[in-house]
Each structure stands twice: as structure tokens, then as C-alpha cells.
Amino acid sequence: MDAPYDGAEVTVLMEEIEEAYYTSPGPPKKKKKYKIHGEKAKKPRSAYLLYYYDIYLKVQQELPHLPQSEINKKISESWRLLSVAERSYYLEKAKLEKEGLDPVSIFSPGPLLPHWFNG
């Protein structure tokens, strides 16, 4: 026959849960610091951000009547529609920037514009 249930296990478990919930998990995590040629630390740009900066001005000139939010949506949509080859160009540039190398000196072909851009 089983021993009568006294609830001690539940009490111990609840105390463990409360300790874990109300105490801080430990020291705060340190953020990564990036340095580029002795300047103030800068985080390397993502592949999307590199793409965005490449085509933003041209899209804005082509579609001046659109508000900023719509321009951002167009650029975001064109990023999602990029082919693997076009996207790999920006992924490689971002990788080089993260490693501290200058992607401008390595790549020089200029921006890859989306298929819908006729500029």
C-alpha cells in the first residue's frame, strides 16, 4: 500500500520555483564591443542594412511621392525577393565588415538593384 500523501514534495518544489523566479539569474551579460580602426566602437552592419543603404537614395529619387514607411516596405519586399546570388553579395560584405575588413576595397561593382527598379 502507498504511504499517505502529506504535501511536503509540493512545498519543496514551490520554494524552488519561488527562489528561481524572485532572484536575479546572475550578473548582467556584457555586450560585444566592436572597434573599427581606433574609432568609437561600432557594431557591424547586417547584410540587409548594407543592401538598404545601397538602394535607399535611388528608390527615394525614383518614388519621391511615397512616404518613408512605404519606401521602407518596398526595400524590405525587394530584399525578400532577392536571388541567392544577389543576397550572397551582401552577406559576404557583412561578414567582411564583422571581421573588421573593409568591404569597399574588396567589392566595387555597386548596388544590386531590385528587379522592379527601372532607374
Side-chain angles (χ1 to χ4, degrees):
M1 232 195 211
D2 291 332
Y5 176 70
D6 63 357
E9 292 177 9
V10 173
T11 304
V12 171
L13 184 59
M14 287 303 292
E15 289 174 358
E16 289 176 8
I17 291 173
E18 287 175 356
E19 280 182 23
Y21 183 75
Y22 292 112
T23 59
S24 65
K29 294 181 180 178
K30 293 182 180 180
K31 293 183 179 180
K32 290 183 178 179
K33 293 183 180 180
Y34 300 94
K35 292 183 182 179
I36 298 177
H37 305 293
E39 297 176 8
K40 189 174 180 179
K42 292 182 181 180
K43 184 177 178 183
R45 296 174 290 180
S46 67
Y48 172 75
L49 201 53
L50 291 168
Y51 172 76
Y52 181 92
Y53 287 140
D54 271 357
I55 71 166
Y56 172 76
L57 288 176
K58 292 182 181 184
V59 172
Q60 188 180 34
Q61 289 171 356
E62 180 74 20
L63 306 167
H65 61 283
L66 287 182
Q68 181 66 41
S69 60
E70 292 298 318
I71 291 173
N72 290 344
K73 285 178 187 177
K74 289 269 189 199
I75 293 173
S76 176
E77 181 183 331
S78 70
W79 171 255
R80 279 182 266 141
L81 297 175
L82 281 181
S83 70
V84 174
E86 291 170 325
R87 194 176 285 208
S88 66
Y89 168 79
Y90 291 100
L91 291 169
E92 187 63 30
K93 280 180 73 171
K95 180 181 173 187
L96 290 172
E97 192 169 294
K98 186 174 183 178
E99 293 172 355
L101 301 174
D102 184 16
V104 175
S105 64
I106 297 169
F107 292 108
S108 59
L112 298 172
L113 299 176
H115 63 84
W116 52 265
F117 185 75
N118 295 326

